[in-house]
Amino acid sequence: MRLLVTFAGGWGHLAPMLPLARAAAAAGHEVAVAPRPALVAAVEAAGFPALATGDPALDPTPVPPADRRPLAPIDPAAEDRVLTEAFAGFVARDRAAALAGHLDAWRPDVVLCDEVDYGTMVVADAAGVPHATVVSMPAGTFVRPALVAGPVDALRAAHGLAPDPDLAVPARHLVVVPAPPSFRDPLVPLPVTARFVRPADPEPDASSAWSPRGAGRPLVYASLGTAFNQEAGDLYARILAGVRDLPVDLLVTVGRELDPAELGPQPPQVRVERYVPQWAVLRHAAVAVTHGGAGGVTGALTHGVPVVALPLGADQPSNAARVRALGAGRVLDAVDATPSEIGDAVAALLGDGPERAEAARLRDECATLPPHESVVADLVALAGSSG
């Protein structure tokens, strides 16, 4: 089988696809990945050939490392426009044009798409190449057909395809969901083609090389992911001020663009780093302070770690809402939360309270799921269905 893995977003869209790509490669199948140009290096670092896809001018413009933006309240309408105008609009059109060439030249038997890589889905459908999707936003409430079906149908029409007003085509064959089933909002059920798999470390080689260096106290891990660090305002400073005097070891990661020294000297029990492999830390963490990204929340709950969520945008409010509904942590307003409120939330989760019990239940739920290797046969069968 020749498997082409595609995604239209950043690292958060690639990471949940890597374990399945590795499982397919380990089973002897040929795998290539088609990212936007800015993610070629990340794909190659993960060990896969990268087929750069689309116009580099459409990649987000890199923000100079010295640039900082104040933390702004979440604008739901603006976040919705990103889905409608970007992922389902100009990004989808650009990727459809570029992927048509890859489908013709690389000739995959099956395509594995991130759930919002609509351009790839359309052009694969037009070419008769079957595709499966991977859910990267597991709460299920952020991507809504009403937001994206219109521009996707316009792209389908441009490629000679019938309308899909209910957005059923992305789930027609196989939907892979690397998340605990109960994390999905029950008001947005998954299709019958969905297959849950056990969440897995997206960078196992890096994780195996990292180990904590604490004094045996509980470890609190704070991260705002990979995309929101420069617009986090003073949130890192408030997290540090609220948590560093607790009886814990604190590890804060600020992203590759920020200099940890900007946050000033810290006491010995506090480490501020640009980056560490997330799953390596979560294996040892007692509490995770997170912006609510799908990768951070899913990773924490896979390890039974309760979370303090401070959502900043995108699908993070949806994930935070599920954390609150399930009782697996605390949710605070990232703009208004004071250091004492953040510290109190972390302190409350350090004990054996209901949030820790719920996080442990979700960990056990994940442990019962089959591994990614179990889905490879489904991809092979899907590849064979086009013959």
Side-chain angles (χ1 to χ4, degrees), residues 69 188 222 250 324 343:
R69 284 161 283 174
V188 192
L250 173 61
R324 179 186 282 123

Side-chain angles (χ1 to χ4, degrees), residues 133-135 138 175-180 184 190 194-199 369:
T133 57
V134 175
V135 169
V175 177
V176 182
V177 190
R184 183 81 176 188
L190 284 158
R195 288 280 308 275
F196 284 96
V197 293
R198 188 184 315 141
L369 298 174

Side-chain angles (χ1 to χ4, degrees), residues 276-354:
V276 295
Q278 185 161 254
W279 277 52
V281 183
L282 290 171
R283 294 187 185 105
H284 303 278
V287 175
V289 180
T290 170
H291 65 324
V297 170
T298 301
L301 298 178
T302 299
H303 291 87
V305 179
V307 303
V308 176
L310 296 142
L312 303 175
D315 64 322
Q316 298 153 29
S318 298
N319 300 324
R322 291 305 294 154
V323 168
R324 179 186 282 123
L326 292 167
R330 304 286 178 96
V331 179
L332 300 175
D333 187 300
V335 174
D336 296 331
T338 65
S340 62
E341 288 171 336
I342 296 171
D344 289 347
V346 170
L349 299 184
L350 287 171
D352 293 325

Side-chain angles (χ1 to χ4, degrees), residues 182 286 301 303-307 326-329 348-365:
S182 61
L301 298 178
H303 291 87
V305 179
V307 303
L326 292 167
L349 299 184
L350 287 171
D352 293 325
E355 294 94 346
R356 185 165 301 281
E358 176 61 16
R361 185 195 70 77
L362 288 161
R363 175 200 62 207
D364 295 344
E365 186 178 312

Side-chain angles (χ1 to χ4, degrees), residues 130-208:
H131 69 267
T133 57
V134 175
V135 169
S136 57
M137 290 171 274
T141 52
F142 182 58
V143 179
R144 286 101 70 200
L147 293 176
V148 299
V152 170
D153 272 352
L155 184 59
R156 289 180 60 82
H159 286 266
L161 298 172
D164 181 28
D166 298 323
L167 212 66
V169 169
R172 180 172 57 195
H173 297 303
L174 172 67
V175 177
V176 182
V177 190
S182 61
F183 193 79
R184 183 81 176 188
D185 191 305
L187 297 178
V188 192
L190 284 158
V192 296
T193 53
R195 288 280 308 275
F196 284 96
V197 293
R198 188 184 315 141
D201 190 347
E203 41 188 348
D205 292 340
S207 295
S208 64

